Amino acid sequence: MRRVIGWTALAVLLVVIAASAWVVTRVLAVNGEAQALATLEGDARTAIAKGDVGRLDAIAREFDTRTEAAAAAVGDPIWRAAEIVPLAGPNLQAIRVTVEQLRTLSTSVASPTAQALEGIGDRGLMADGAIDLAVVESLHETAARASTSLEKVRSRLNAISTGATVDQVRDGVDQARRLTTTLSASLGPMADITGVLPAVLGGDEERTILVMFQNNAELRSGGGITGSFAEIRAKNGALRLVRQADSSDFRPADEDVEPVPETTSAVYGDTVGRFVQNATSTPDFDLSGRLASTWWKKLTGHAPDVVIAIDPIVLRALLPVTGELTLPDGTALTHDTFVRDVLVDPYLALTGSEQSEYFAALTERYFTALTSSPTSPSAFFSALRTPVEQGRVSVWSAHDDEAAVFAASVFGGPRARHIAAGPGAFALYFNDSTGGKMDSRLGVAVGAVSATCRADNHAVVAVQVTLRNDAPADAGSRWPLSMTGGGHWGVEAGHIGTVVSAAAPSEWLFGGTRKNGELAGAVDVIDGGSPTSALEVDLAPGESVELEFRFVSPVAGAVEPTLLRTPLLRAADEREPAPLTCG
């Protein structure tokens, strides 16, 4: 009997050893696939950022192969049985659930989305001035299904307990969670925006789209003055340019054309709602859209369904899509000369009426080239990626369901982007007070630094700004009124006047404003829920100034600040943060 028991024990031991070896081989197989998936995750981030549809499809195919192999490795009964073993069990379970969810991610999210994008990758977005709404609707259906599946995967990954797992397993679970976050940031908005786009483009009935061109040579919070406008009619995806106007067509109003909060007027002046050029002085693009809509109705008798604000850097980015354009004077428009040809030379050489004719002709030529472009959707995405990330494209709709989608996306405008950036995000806004196009010579350097040097351990964040006037010393006497403002707005010709405002996250406290190291009297208000400090500066040619806006966290603990800002004409430099003390 003892011999039988001994042989039985030995047999059980051998089975356990064999099973353990089997599980080990499976773990090693999963590890190999996991390492390959880690590389693919980084590749996917890069491809999404570049809008490289072809590369995304290749990544999705390899992702499918890898997850299929990993799922096969964890799918046998022996693996499941081993999950009850102390110590090893929680790790094996976490690995299995993660692999299963990655497999679902591949079959229900990555592959169908990549295939849908690849399917239209070689087709032109525009054909005879029209966008194929059937393609948009198909993308929406795919994205909506994928987004639903993705949220289920995210929920199941977040439910995995990693408290008893080793570091390698915990890191693997975290990486899978990060991958779903990356995909969600692109897929969710894609589903939402493609859902409302057919209606915006006149799929149900003809729509009116008002495009506001912001000129960053005269800064406003959202980018620049809204000095040029184009009305586009959309019907079943077909687009027609029906009317243009510039700021000279709008008479200043004696009262705000739309209600403007007192806090907004305190920071950005009492002309936000009285001059059409100031529609984007406020970072609240919902207010900007309503202002623009009312101005347009006053001019034409009808209000637009949608308002889109863009700046010239968006137009420059789209040159690879439109192909070569020729300016009204016969000059070829290129990427390298764009800013000079469009935003500097016309104000130096042309009269006011000549400028209006020049920009109207340019807009018409640009619209024709854009709507007849055979370029693929991925080329449009790639061209617009950077301008959109910089906040150079904002969209408002008079229809509540569409407005909610745009407000929650990257197209929501400065304040919406600030809020979406998270609890450690700060924003800098610049508004010109010169009354001319001197901001083509404004140099800007920005940065933010944090310290926990207070007795209560509440973090102090300093938003630091350097401004400089790079205009020549004789700019005031040599340059025309359209450039310098001629001193009519209280800023001497050749100088650059700027209202600089810094906005903190909700519930933060004001910590004081400094100019060249000395305390300065700033306007401090809670505007739109954001504590905002504003200070106006006046710079002569060659002069510079150092500004610092301080805010105090409402809770104890360190903060890693991020910084958003007004889209500028000239790229801002990253400012080396000055040391911060709480004294």
Side-chain angles (χ1 to χ4, degrees), residues 8 16 18 36 45 84 97 124 127 139 145-146 181 217 304 332 361 368 439 487 498 511 541 548 579:
T8 301
V16 170
R45 287 176 182 270
I84 66 172
V97 175
L139 277 177
R145 286 194 300 268
T181 299
T368 300
D439 285 331
T498 310
E548 181 179 271

Side-chain angles (χ1 to χ4, degrees), residues 334-388:
T334 69
H335 182 279
D336 292 339
T337 63
F338 189 94
V339 171
R340 185 195 69 206
D341 290 339
V342 175
L343 297 176
V344 178
D345 287 354
Y347 297 101
L348 290 172
L350 303 179
T351 65
S353 60
E354 289 172 338
Q355 291 168 20
S356 297
E357 294 175 4
Y358 179 90
F359 289 122
L362 176 58
T363 298
E364 188 169 350
R365 294 182 187 192
Y366 203 103
F367 179 81
T368 300
L370 190 64
T371 54
S372 60
S373 171
T375 306
S376 68
S378 60
F380 272 91
F381 183 93
S382 181
L384 288 173
R385 177 181 61 88
T386 297
V388 168

Side-chain angles (χ1 to χ4, degrees), residues 169-257:
V169 172
R170 189 179 303 112
D171 290 345
V173 174
D174 288 342
Q175 187 171 46
R177 290 168 176 166
R178 288 195 299 271
L179 175 58
T180 61
T181 299
T182 297
L183 292 175
S184 182
S186 297
L187 196 56
M190 176 181 169
D192 291 340
I193 291 173
T194 54
V196 301
L197 202 53
V200 170
L201 295 172
D204 300 324
E205 59 183 356
E206 186 175 69
R207 289 290 193 89
T208 299
I209 300 171
L210 178 64
V211 180
M212 294 196 299
F213 297 99
Q214 297 187 88
N215 189 332
N216 316 81
E218 191 170 342
L219 287 170
R220 296 293 185 266
S221 293
I225 64 164
T226 46
S228 299
F229 302 82
E231 179 184 324
I232 297 170
R233 296 285 176 86
K235 179 65 175 176
N236 293 324
L239 305 176
R240 293 183 296 119
L241 178 62
V242 298
R243 180 165 182 169
Q244 294 190 63
D246 62 30
S247 58
S248 64
D249 294 313
F250 302 84
R251 296 184 59 182
D254 295 329
E255 298 180 350
D256 294 334
V257 297

Side-chain angles (χ1 to χ4, degrees), residues 83-133:
E83 290 182 9
I84 66 172
V85 176
L87 299 180
N91 291 281
L92 296 175
Q93 185 182 54
I95 292 171
R96 176 181 58 78
V97 175
T98 300
V99 168
E100 289 173 347
Q101 295 313 305
L102 288 175
R103 183 61 185 153
T104 300
L105 192 68
S106 175
T107 58
S108 300
V109 179
S111 292
T113 303
Q115 290 168 10
L117 291 172
E118 181 70 11
I120 64 170
D122 296 329
R123 298 175 58 176
L125 182 64
M126 306 293 302
D128 298 324
I131 297 174
D132 189 342
L133 297 187

Side-chain angles (χ1 to χ4, degrees), residues 407-466:
S409 74
V410 292
F411 304 110
R415 179 167 292 153
R417 294 177 64 245
H418 181 197
I419 294 171
F426 296 76
L428 271 171
Y429 303 122
F430 302 96
N431 279 271
D432 175 78
S433 58
T434 309
K437 303 300 182 290
M438 291 294 294
D439 285 331
S440 60
R441 294 304 181 97
L442 180 68
V444 180
V446 300
V449 61
S450 176
T452 50
C453 48
R454 289 167 52 102
D456 59 8
N457 203 38
H458 287 222
V460 176
V461 168
V463 177
Q464 299 174 341
V465 190
T466 301

